[in-house]
């Protein structure tokens, strides 16, 4: 009759009440598993951050280390070097955009060392309207870093040597144009200084290190996941799921 509890048939398993802990099992498992994965991803990014910071510190130590004479056997790293000799007034101009300064040119000139070697020197940056400004020519003491730039990608336009407009520091064609060895030194300082050009020395600022942002994202997602799991469990407790 109405109002009397229904009994299970003989031999049938006793049914669990709807409010039993098994109703919370799936949300708990999903919540714990999701949080664990997201926290692991955040922790992994923090480990990657430590690795990247160590790598950048090693690179910076190499870049800013004591300058040495130009080696005969060149190591393809950003070795610091010191040059003495003569820098020429002729130059090639690479179109670039410098942070906080806008469009301009990287100025590439030939440098002849005291022992007769001739190589390329990236003097640095000059504003877009100073392309034809006279450049220092003489016998400076130059410190910088040997470098093999990787400026060119699939969208980089072809250089226009006839108009002296270059879109990448292509060492091979530039060395042919200025009759130098295919070696490039990025100037860190010149003494005496060249007032028309500001050096853009090699550093690690252009190397991305976004691991901290990634870690924050994963940890934030873990917090959101945990919050949503709590909301789900609360709805179950209220019988509104």
């Amino acid at each position: 009759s109405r109002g009397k509890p229904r009994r299970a048939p003989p031999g049938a398993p006793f049914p669990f009440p709807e409010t039993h802990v098994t109703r919370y099992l799936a949300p708990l498992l999903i919540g714990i598993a999701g949080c664990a994965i997201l926290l692991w991803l955040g922790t992994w990014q923090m480990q990657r951050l430590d690795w990247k910071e160590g790598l950048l510190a090693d690179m910076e130590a190499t870049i800013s280390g004591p300058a040495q004479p130009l080696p005969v056997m060149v190591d393809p790293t950003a070795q610091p070097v010191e040059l003495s000799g003569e820098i020429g007034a002729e130059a090639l101009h690479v179109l670039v955009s410098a942070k906080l300064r806008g469009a301009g040119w990287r100025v590439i000139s030939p440098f002849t060392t005291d022992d007769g070697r001739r190589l390329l020197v990236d003097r640095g940056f000059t504003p877009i309207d100073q392309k034809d400004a006279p450049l220092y020519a003489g016998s400076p003491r130059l410190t910088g870093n040997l470098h093999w730039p990787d400026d060119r990608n699939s969208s980089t336009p072809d250089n226009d040597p006839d108009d002296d407009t270059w879109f990448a520091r292509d060492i091979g064609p530039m060395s042919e144009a200025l009759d130098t060895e295919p070696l490039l030194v990025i100037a860190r300082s010149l003494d005496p200084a060249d007032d028309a050009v500001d050096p853009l020395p090699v550093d690690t600022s252009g190397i991305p290190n976004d691991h901290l942002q990634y870690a924050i994202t994963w940890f934030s997602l873990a917090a959101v996941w945990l919050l949503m799991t709590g909301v789900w469990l609360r709805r179950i407790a209220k019988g509104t799921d």
Side-chain angles (χ1 to χ4, degrees):
S1 61
R2 181 173 298 181
K4 290 184 179 180
R6 299 177 62 183
R7 295 183 178 179
F14 186 78
F16 289 113
E18 289 187 349
T19 58
H20 194 269
V21 70
T22 51
R23 297 193 58 205
Y24 298 91
L25 187 59
L28 281 170
L29 289 176
I30 293 172
I32 292 171
C35 280
I37 292 171
L38 294 170
L39 290 172
W40 176 81
L41 288 169
T43 302
W44 177 68
Q45 287 295 341
M46 292 300 294
Q47 294 169 346
R48 294 281 293 175
L49 176 64
D50 289 340
W51 167 80
K52 191 64 167 287
E53 287 179 342
L55 180 64
L56 292 176
D58 290 343
M59 293 176 63
E60 192 64 43
T62 299
I63 290 169
S64 58
Q68 304 293 330
L70 185 68
V72 176
M73 298 296 293
V74 177
D75 181 7
T77 62
Q79 336 175 210
V81 294
E82 183 176 60
L83 305 178
S84 60
E86 184 173 352
I87 193 167
E90 63 266 46
L92 305 177
H93 293 82
V94 184
L95 187 63
V96 295
S97 179
K99 190 175 182 180
L100 302 180
R101 285 187 279 185
W105 307 95
R106 274 188 179 270
V107 182
I108 314 296
S109 290
F111 191 102
T112 304
T113 65
D114 290 337
D115 59 358
R117 297 182 67 179
R118 186 173 167 89
L119 60 146
L120 301 169
V121 166
D122 183 334
R123 294 175 181 247
F125 178 87
T126 194
I128 193 73
D129 58 351
Q130 297 297 309
K131 183 177 183 179
D132 297 323
L135 297 168
Y136 167 79
S139 302
R141 182 167 294 277
L142 182 148
T143 60
N145 294 88
L146 281 167
H147 192 54
W148 285 260
D150 187 19
D151 299 338
R152 182 168 294 282
N153 56 43
S154 59
S155 62
T156 304
D158 292 333
N159 300 318
D160 186 359
D162 293 336
D163 188 47
D164 186 25
T165 300
W166 299 71
F167 296 97
R169 289 171 294 178
D170 294 322
I171 294 179
M174 285 183 163
S175 65
E176 291 180 6
L178 292 177
D179 190 24
T180 70
E181 294 182 46
L183 289 178
L184 176 68
V185 171
I186 311 296
R188 183 172 294 273
S189 67
L190 282 88
D191 183 21
D194 187 345
D195 294 334
V197 184
D198 294 324
L200 289 176
V202 177
D203 59 26
T204 58
S205 61
I207 301 176
N209 184 14
D210 300 324
H211 296 293
L212 180 59
Q213 292 90 319
Y214 295 153
I216 291 172
T217 299
W218 290 122
F219 288 140
S220 299
L221 288 172
V224 171
W225 193 280
L226 185 62
L227 177 63
M228 296 305 296
T229 300
V231 170
W232 190 3
L233 293 172
R234 184 178 177 85
R235 288 174 61 87
I236 291 173
K238 289 185 173 182
T240 57
D241 60 320

